[in-house]
Amino acid sequence: AYKYFLDMEPEARMIDPSLLTKFRKTRITEDILEEMLKETIQQALDKGLIKSGTIIVDATHTNASVRAKSPTQILRDLSKQLRKEIYKNAFELSEKFPEKPSLESSLEEEISYTQELLSALKEDIFAIGDKKIQKLYEKIKELLETEKIRDIRSKDDEDARFGHKTPTSTFYGYKNHLAITEERLIAGISITDGGAPDGQELPNLIESAKKSGIEVTEIIGDMAYVSEENLEICGEEITLIAKTNAAVAAAAAAELEEGFSFNKDAGKLQCPAGELAMRVEKREAKNGNQYHNYVFSKRICKKCPLKDKCRVGNGKTQSYCVTQVSEKNRARLEFEASDEFKERLKIRHRIEEKNGELKEAHGLRRADSTGLFAMRVQMYFTAFVVNAKRITRLAIHTAE
């Protein structure tokens, strides 16, 4: 089938599979990915297949191609790999190895040991001339110096993160934030790690759709996209069709401190460390304002590396109080009660169907490689394929 498509003879030799890997690593850039997406939308516009400035937005998750581990286990594996390479190619340096910690050691103990190991090898590591050992040494050193080791969950994929699908279930990987037209064509893409909130990517999706050639006049989404910032960005030019959840409104009305966000899938507040509140206590004051007090786990906060820098960690009750000013949301809620709003919201299911197609028919359920850029490549190429399919179907339907 490939040879037929490329107009090759049946007996002709196919290209070496490694050529595609080299092409991906050396020739594909962010600009090329954007141009690919833009080209499909431009062709649809030229053919008159896109008839409005409406985009429907949502995010779908993709599981990482590697298994998640604890930071302690990752650091232990890296130091073990370094020792193994030295035993194999520079055995004389093994005499400088400090005593290994036990398998029950904490992350702090493992960090202390690894720092001691690197310090012992510092004088000789570059003298031996082994590039593989030097590269591994530099990688471990960078992870410790930047404290990135506390965040990553895989030594092979440092960009993937845990995210929440529901209050009780999580996934490890990435989020693909998408904007599609009413005709089910993907017009905007933004890729993040799995822990990123959906709502904060709306400005990027608007910008991506505009670059593709869509004059955005209306956005349809779920409750994650209603916030003071997003409403301000939309202004009077763009109508935001998305329902306001009481808890979302509470978080939007108050200016959340940096790192805190509302997780719409779990329906709870999320702290800078990625932990969800256990419960929310709702109270009403005499002046009509509502107070939502999000309570976090004292046990988790006590062990959290960010506790000294976090408002929740420093507090006595491990809670975060958010004020909802009812007057601010009154006009918005009246708009959401209108027949026009309800009618437009009915087409939001189209993006959920598109997400299902991407996963079931095009392999987006799982990443095919590691790293954020590899995830971008996979998503953009998948979008290119599904857009080409959709344009063909729409063109045939229009011709009939």
Side-chain angles (χ1 to χ4, degrees):
Y2 283 103
K3 290 179 179 179
Y4 179 80
F5 180 76
L6 296 172
D7 197 25
M8 296 171 66
E9 295 294 330
E11 300 81 11
R13 184 179 177 183
M14 286 292 287
I15 62 171
D16 191 286
S18 65
L19 182 61
L20 295 176
T21 302
K22 290 179 180 178
F23 174 77
R24 180 164 122 169
K25 288 183 176 180
T26 61
R27 298 300 177 93
I28 297 177
T29 64
E30 296 280 357
D31 292 339
I32 288 176
L33 294 176
E34 289 286 352
E35 284 298 318
M36 285 172 53
L37 182 68
K38 181 180 178 180
E39 178 62 26
T40 60
I41 298 300
Q42 285 298 320
Q43 288 199 25
L45 287 167
D46 293 342
K47 291 176 172 61
L49 302 177
I50 298 175
K51 304 183 185 302
S52 75
T54 298
I55 58 172
I56 311 171
V57 296
D58 197 12
T60 186
H61 73 276
T62 297
N63 293 314
S65 61
V66 296
R67 184 168 61 89
K69 293 183 178 181
S70 69
T72 306
Q73 187 60 54
I74 293 170
L75 190 56
R76 188 175 294 149
D77 289 347
L78 284 169
S79 60
K80 180 180 178 180
Q81 186 180 350
L82 179 61
R83 292 195 305 270
K84 185 177 179 181
E85 289 298 324
I86 289 175
Y87 276 127
K88 191 193 305 184
N89 301 307
F91 185 79
E92 65 278 5
L93 293 184
S94 64
E95 297 178 358
K96 298 188 176 185
F97 291 167
E99 185 178 349
K100 292 187 294 183
S102 66
L103 293 176
E104 293 76 28
S105 62
S106 65
L107 176 59
E108 299 302 328
E109 291 173 318
E110 201 66 43
I111 288 175
S112 179
Y113 162 74
T114 309
Q115 287 174 335
E116 189 179 351
L117 175 65
L118 297 183
S119 179
L121 300 172
K122 183 178 180 181
E123 299 297 329
D124 306 293
I125 201 75
F126 292 98
I128 59 176
D130 191 303
K131 291 185 178 179
K132 189 174 182 179
I133 293 177
Q134 292 168 3
K135 186 176 180 180
L136 187 56
Y137 173 90
E138 290 293 343
K139 179 180 180 179
I140 299 172
K141 183 182 176 184
E142 181 187 356
L143 288 175
L144 292 177
E145 288 179 348
T146 60
E147 294 200 344
K148 194 175 180 180
I149 189 64
R150 299 181 185 275
D151 298 322
I152 66 172
R153 292 295 179 268
S154 169
K155 65 182 179 67
D156 299 312
D157 192 340
E158 298 179 10
D159 296 329
R161 295 289 184 273
F162 277 105
H164 295 274
K165 292 188 286 186
T166 68
T168 56
S169 64
T170 61
F171 69 94
Y172 176 67
Y174 299 91
K175 274 187 180 180
N176 303 294
H177 307 263
L178 304 178
I180 69 169
T181 67
E182 285 191 82
E183 297 77 18
R184 294 182 171 89
L185 288 164
I186 298 175
I189 298 174
S190 180
I191 312 298
T192 64
D193 62 68
D198 296 0
Q200 73 178 19
E201 292 305 308
L202 184 61
N204 293 331
L205 289 175
I206 295 173
E207 185 65 25
S208 181
K210 286 181 175 179
K211 285 181 178 178
S212 296
I214 304 295
E215 295 182 10
V216 181
T217 57
E218 182 184 56
I219 299 171
I220 301 173
D222 59 26
M223 64 181 68
Y225 297 95
V226 181
S227 68
E228 286 294 312
E229 183 181 13
N230 286 344
L231 287 170
E232 186 177 338
I233 289 170
C234 290
E236 296 181 359
E237 294 78 21
I238 302 174
T239 304
L240 180 58
I241 306 292
K243 272 197 169 184
T244 303
N245 177 277
V248 178
E255 292 186 3
L256 295 178
E257 291 183 11
E258 186 177 357
F260 286 89
S261 61
F262 183 78
N263 189 295
K264 62 99 177 177
D265 293 318
K268 295 178 180 178
L269 196 70
Q270 181 174 307
C271 75
E275 296 294 335
L276 295 175
M278 296 187 299
R279 66 181 187 276
V280 57
E281 300 169 349
K282 299 179 182 179
R283 301 166 189 167
E284 188 164 342
K286 292 180 180 180
N287 61 6
N289 291 346
Q290 287 186 338
Y291 296 91
H292 293 230
N293 195 44
Y294 294 87
V295 182
F296 291 80
S297 168
K298 290 184 178 181
R299 178 181 59 81
I300 294 176
C301 285
K302 190 176 180 180
K303 296 180 180 179
C304 180
L306 303 177
K307 64 179 181 180
D308 294 329
K309 305 174 183 177
C310 173
R311 169 176 166 179
V312 171
N314 283 324
K316 293 181 180 179
T317 59
Q318 272 70 54
S319 63
Y320 192 111
C321 189
V322 180
T323 305
Q324 178 185 10
V325 184
S326 57
E327 291 82 358
K328 256 190 175 181
N329 302 303
R330 187 175 299 160
R332 177 71 196 176
L333 294 174
E334 286 177 359
F335 170 61
E336 291 175 15
S338 67
D339 292 337
E340 176 193 357
F341 178 92
K342 293 175 182 177
E343 192 64 30
R344 294 303 294 157
L345 197 60
K346 287 181 180 179
I347 67 171
R348 198 184 72 80
H349 67 88
R350 295 178 186 178
I351 195 166
E352 294 174 350
E353 293 166 357
K354 180 62 67 175
N355 288 337
E357 177 190 351
L358 293 169
K359 287 187 175 183
E360 297 302 325
H362 296 278
L364 203 67
R365 190 174 297 279
R366 186 179 179 84
D368 61 15
S369 190
T370 59
L372 194 60
F373 180 72
M375 186 68 248
R376 285 196 183 100
V377 172
Q378 183 180 353
M379 180 65 249
Y380 273 90
F381 270 81
T382 305
F384 180 85
V385 171
V386 296
N387 276 0
K389 284 170 54 182
R390 186 62 184 163
I391 288 171
T392 303
R393 178 170 293 183
L394 289 171
I396 293 172
H397 179 73
T398 302
E400 291 176 349

